[in-house]
Amino acid sequence: MKKLIAWAITNAPGMNVLMVALLLLGVGAFVTMQREVFPEFELEVVMVSVPYPGATPQDTEEAICQKIEEAIRSTDGIKKVTSIALEDRGYVLAELRSDVRNVQKIMAEIDRAVDRIPSFPDLAEDPSVEQITFRETAIRVGILGPMPDDALISASSQSDAAQQNRAGELALREVAEGVRDDLLMLPTVTVASLMGTRPYQIDVEIPEATLRSYELTLNDVAARIRAQNVELPGGQLKSDGQEILLRAKNKGRIGSEIERLPLVTEPGGTVLTIADLGSVRDEFEDVTAAGEINGRPALVVNVERTKAEDLLALVDDVRGYVADATLPEGYDFVVWNDTSIDVRDRMSLLLRNGVQGLALVFLVLAFFLEVRLAFWVALGIPISILGAGAALAWGDQTLNMLSLF
């Protein structure tokens, strides 16, 4: 250490060059480093989820969760298994040991173990296996719909009022999906999802008298729709010059397609469709919640930041889009939960404190000692801050609430 100090004293030009280089590297690091709220990290947890429509939590636990637990418990690398049985869905969380090197390999083993389970209920849907990914919300954009006309609704019948509310919700959903798609077109936005939306649902209604006249039950109708509403491969046609793939496409995704499915064949050969026996409507699932902002119906686009994105640049682009975008008449934007505010405040605080400390140290030392000494001592403050920035950039770190502190 003494030799290093002696070399620094005797080689002042070299130290000055090193100091300038450190300052330039620090400035470049602070300009180019990604900015975020907290450092990015991955949870070493694999989640298996299985939808089970119409099931109670007890049914989900017995038919889904317990079977998955037994299937994956022997997988090497799992530290702890936790099950969550909910209405209509079951979750199994597999926490991996800290010494696991390849999480994707463990996920593949869990996926194969779940696929080997032979006795899931018939109504259970396909399981999904995924690693839990942590993403922070960057900003939220709310789309406020027009206020419903209370006088018109009160004067209408209950069915007409429900139809008007459905039409308003559908229009708001279309506008919100358009905003989400526009945000995803921005170069800095990768993940944007809708919040507060009700899943789409197709309602098939057949009068009880009609069911009895054709000796049908609701289960019979559901089974026939399920059997008819399919899309199946039909093989190949090969010739000398081409190969044609055959596919039976009879899968409807909207009400007007579902109502054309055959349901009953009469003795005379007449085929009756669902539309002949009842009605089919495109609806939303019935939920006991409604999305409102400031008393107006609303949907929210949640914009999240991924590891490769800069938080401040992302938020600036989103706010620029909100300021320039034009919504249909009666619709408005509202923005909140801007997490970049805390990062900007912390960066501003760092800069302000650095400038104040630099000025105070220089003035005090210049008053009691001499200006030249004050200058070189005060210069230690920007060298320390910018040198720390260069070290963070060299270590592939980011500017966040912890590193700024």
Side-chain angles (χ1 to χ4, degrees):
M1 179 61 70
K2 292 182 178 180
K3 293 182 179 180
L4 181 62
I5 295 175
W7 179 87
I9 294 174
T10 57
N11 292 273
M15 293 304 299
N16 290 336
V17 172
L18 181 62
M19 178 191 66
V20 173
L22 188 62
L23 292 175
L24 294 176
L25 287 175
V27 172
F30 276 109
V31 171
T32 58
M33 267 196 300
Q34 291 184 5
R35 295 159 291 183
E36 57 186 352
V37 179
F38 290 106
E40 190 80 19
F41 64 93
E42 289 186 356
L43 297 175
E44 294 180 345
V45 177
V46 177
M47 180 179 69
V48 183
S49 62
V50 180
Y52 189 9
T56 64
Q58 183 177 3
D59 295 336
T60 303
E61 179 185 7
E62 295 175 355
I64 302 295
C65 297
Q66 291 182 0
K67 294 178 181 179
I68 295 177
E69 284 186 12
E70 294 174 0
I72 69 173
R73 193 177 297 277
S74 60
T75 303
D76 185 32
I78 294 180
K79 175 183 177 183
K80 180 181 178 183
V81 177
T82 304
S83 295
I84 304 174
L86 303 175
E87 187 175 347
D88 297 336
R89 185 176 290 270
Y91 297 94
V92 176
L93 304 178
E95 182 182 349
L96 307 185
R97 296 199 305 265
S98 58
D99 59 349
V100 171
R101 300 285 184 181
N102 193 342
V103 177
Q104 299 301 318
K105 179 182 177 182
I106 305 298
M107 281 183 57
E109 293 180 3
I110 293 175
D111 193 10
R112 289 193 295 268
V114 173
D115 288 339
R116 288 194 296 267
I117 298 176
S119 55
F120 277 142
D122 293 336
L123 295 179
E125 300 179 9
D126 295 335
S128 64
V129 180
E130 57 185 344
Q131 182 183 5
I132 295 181
T133 302
F134 173 81
R135 289 196 185 100
E136 64 181 23
T137 297
I139 192 171
R140 285 178 177 170
V141 180
I143 298 92
L144 280 62
M147 290 292 294
D149 192 337
D150 296 335
L152 183 61
I153 292 178
S154 60
S156 304
S157 63
Q158 184 175 0
S159 60
D160 292 339
Q163 188 174 1
Q164 292 175 10
N165 289 334
R166 172 188 166 278
E169 183 176 1
L170 184 60
L172 176 60
R173 178 72 172 268
E174 292 177 352
V175 173
E177 289 179 348
V179 171
R180 178 201 58 192
D181 295 341
D182 291 342
L183 290 174
L184 288 173
M185 294 297 291
L186 297 176
T188 56
V189 177
T190 304
V191 180
S193 57
L194 288 177
M195 299 176 59
T197 58
R198 293 196 295 169
Y200 287 113
Q201 174 178 285
I202 299 177
D203 289 350
V204 178
E205 295 183 356
I206 300 177
E208 182 181 357
T210 304
L211 291 174
R212 289 182 177 179
S213 64
Y214 290 96
E215 298 181 353
L216 294 173
T217 65
L218 292 178
N219 289 333
D220 294 335
V221 174
R224 295 184 185 186
I225 293 176
R226 191 178 298 113
Q228 293 287 340
N229 191 39
V230 293
E231 184 173 342
L232 299 174
Q236 300 176 347
L237 285 179
K238 295 183 178 180
S239 65
D240 294 337
Q242 61 180 345
E243 180 178 307
I244 301 175
L245 298 179
L246 302 180
R247 194 169 189 84
K249 300 184 68 174
N250 195 43
K251 189 176 184 63
R253 291 176 173 81
I254 58 177
S256 60
E257 297 174 350
I258 296 295
E259 66 183 7
R260 295 197 297 264
L261 295 177
L263 192 59
V264 174
T265 302
E266 294 186 323
T270 304
V271 178
L272 300 179
T273 63
I274 298 174
D276 296 328
L277 303 183
S279 60
V280 181
R281 298 194 310 273
D282 294 312
E283 293 283 351
F284 296 98
E285 286 188 9
D286 294 330
V287 296
T288 58
E292 291 186 352
I293 297 176
N294 298 331
R296 294 173 58 179
L299 291 178
V300 178
V301 179
N302 185 45
V303 181
E304 298 177 341
R305 190 197 70 86
T306 61
K307 187 175 183 179
E309 295 168 350
D310 183 86
L311 175 63
L312 271 60
L314 184 152
V315 170
D316 289 341
D317 283 352
V318 172
R319 286 189 174 274
Y321 167 80
V322 171
D324 298 336
T326 303
L327 293 178
E329 185 178 357
Y331 293 84
D332 296 298
F333 278 124
V334 61
V335 175
W336 80 99
N337 200 24
D338 184 351
T339 56
S340 69
I341 294 176
D342 294 334
V343 179
R344 295 180 194 273
D345 290 343
R346 182 63 62 86
M347 293 177 64
S348 176
L349 178 65
L350 176 66
L351 179 61
R352 187 169 61 252
N353 287 352
V355 172
Q356 292 175 355
L358 178 66
L360 288 175
V361 169
F362 178 79
L363 292 175
V364 170
L365 293 180
F367 181 78
F368 288 102
L369 298 175
E370 59 179 5
V371 175
R372 181 181 177 185
L373 177 62
F375 170 78
W376 286 109
V377 173
L379 195 60
I381 293 178
I383 291 176
S384 300
I385 295 177
L386 296 176
L392 287 174
W394 180 75
D396 198 22
Q397 301 299 314
T398 62
L399 283 178
N400 54 68
M401 300 293 287
L402 302 181
S403 59
L404 286 173
F405 176 79

